Amino acid sequence: MSQIIDGKFVSETMKASIAKEVQDLVASGQRAPHLVAILVGNNGASETYVANKVKSCEELGFTSTLLRFDPSISEADLLAAVQGVNDNPDMDGLIVQLPLPDHINPDKVMETIHPSKDVDGFHPINIGRMAKGLPAYISATPQGVLDLLAYYQIQTAGKHCVVVGRSQIVGLPMSILMQRNHPQGNCTVTLTHSRTPNLEEICAQGDIVIAALGKPEFIKAAHIKEGAVVIDIGLTRVEDASKKSGFALKGDVDFADVAPKCSFITPVPKGVGPMTIVSLMKNTLLAAKGTIYPKN
């Protein structure tokens, strides 16, 4: 039988540790970490994600500021708002919730965030530092996966890790992290994507399979070899009339089909998802302390 990787439990354990560190920080006379979130428009999913982040800040003793803008805001005005946060020494971390309206270039926005406040880990400088193995803010979801592997003491050294999906936010950084010389690394990594032929055959070679392609229940038992570790990063709303909300949350892995073959597997929800916000909080705490980028 596979062991379920309980991301909700691990995240609550980590939250307690972060909250204690924040209490000690404030007790020593320093201010609480301050996270700023920018939300453009009224996308329902984005509203939920940002609300969860603000709630986590309250739970952990952080200060949070939510800057809302109309979807018609110009790119120049949004960049000016980002620069305003960059210039404020009392604001430690900044996230700009994606997606943005079509007339705004998300890469331009991300590159405007100062690397020292880029707690999402999306800035090219943080990505480059991560790739070189230098201290950096690591994207929240990949960092959450590493924390789960560490908590469950899952051996990665010498293993073949297959990452399915090459997004700049998850798949690409995940592939870099799994091959680096690190306790949760030292894998031989194969990065696959929508253009990869024989995907099923390649996945079935993986000791660790990380699914991050955004296709509900795409990964079946045939993709997985006996005893593999399966990490499901996918999260898609699928219509489900049996649910009060009218939809169900599905991962990229067909859990019922795949779980019997695994040694470890993350469920959806309550797997990787809860770890993402914890990683963001952890990065914001590092920003407040000046651990990676020293304060001026």
Side-chain angles (χ1 to χ4, degrees):
M1 291 292 293
S2 59
Q3 181 171 351
I4 304 298
I5 296 175
D6 189 343
K8 183 171 177 54
F9 172 78
V10 178
S11 70
E12 292 301 326
T13 301
M14 292 181 64
K15 278 183 178 180
S17 175
I18 293 171
K20 176 63 168 61
E21 192 165 349
V22 172
Q23 287 176 358
D24 292 344
L25 204 64
V26 173
S28 71
Q30 301 181 63
R31 61 173 175 77
H34 188 171
L35 176 65
V36 180
I38 289 179
L39 180 61
V40 181
N42 52 9
N43 177 284
S46 293
E47 292 272 3
T48 300
Y49 295 148
V50 170
N52 287 337
K53 291 165 185 174
V54 170
K55 181 181 177 183
S56 291
C57 283
E58 293 172 356
E59 292 174 348
L60 302 183
F62 286 39
T63 300
S64 67
T65 298
L66 173 56
L67 302 177
R68 289 179 172 272
F69 296 102
D70 189 87
S72 63
I73 187 174
S74 69
E75 182 177 89
D77 285 346
L78 182 59
L79 295 179
V82 169
Q83 192 58 51
V85 177
N86 286 342
D87 294 339
N88 190 328
D90 292 331
M91 294 176 167
D92 301 304
L94 170 62
I95 59 171
V96 178
Q97 187 64 46
L98 302 176
L100 293 169
D102 291 341
H103 67 280
I104 297 175
N105 183 340
D107 289 332
K108 196 168 183 179
V109 173
M110 295 305 155
E111 289 180 27
T112 301
I113 299 172
H114 194 279
S116 67
K117 299 196 177 189
D118 167 44
V119 290
D120 259 334
F122 294 164
H123 194 285
I125 287 178
N126 278 316
I127 294 172
R129 289 176 65 90
M130 175 197 70
K132 286 181 64 65
L134 298 173
Y137 300 128
I138 295 173
S139 299
T141 299
Q143 179 61 59
V145 172
L146 298 183
D147 288 336
L148 287 175
L149 293 172
Y151 186 88
Y152 282 88
Q153 299 182 352
I154 294 172
Q155 297 300 309
T156 58
K159 304 296 184 181
H160 182 189
C161 175
V162 178
V163 179
V164 188
R166 56 180 170 181
S167 75
Q168 294 183 30
I169 294 174
V170 180
L172 180 59
M174 200 77 254
S175 68
I176 294 170
L177 292 165
M178 293 304 293
Q179 57 79 37
R180 66 180 179 162
N181 186 10
H182 186 270
Q184 285 72 56
N186 286 308
C187 288
T188 297
V189 178
T190 301
L191 178 61
T192 65
H193 47 78
S194 59
R195 301 292 181 90
T196 301
N198 305 320
L199 182 59
E200 182 179 302
E201 178 184 341
I202 294 171
C203 284
Q205 299 171 20
D207 302 301
I208 302 169
V209 176
I210 301 176
L213 68 162
K215 293 186 177 181
E217 300 186 327
F218 178 85
I219 302 294
K220 305 291 185 182
H223 290 84
I224 304 300
K225 75 176 183 180
E226 291 287 342
V229 174
V230 175
I231 306 293
D232 189 354
I233 295 176
L235 187 66
T236 305
R237 290 187 180 192
V238 177
E239 289 186 9
D240 187 340
S242 69
K243 302 287 186 181
K244 184 177 180 180
S245 62
F247 67 86
L249 296 175
K250 297 289 185 181
D252 290 345
V253 176
D254 186 336
F255 186 89
D257 194 39
V258 170
K261 298 183 74 173
C262 304
S263 56
F264 290 89
I265 186 170
T266 59
V268 173
K270 301 181 181 180
V272 175
M275 299 297 295
T276 298
I277 290 181
V278 174
S279 299
L280 177 65
M281 298 296 110
K282 189 162 67 171
N283 280 348
T284 304
L285 179 57
L286 291 173
K289 293 164 60 179
T291 304
I292 294 174
Y293 296 95
K295 297 283 189 181
N296 293 328

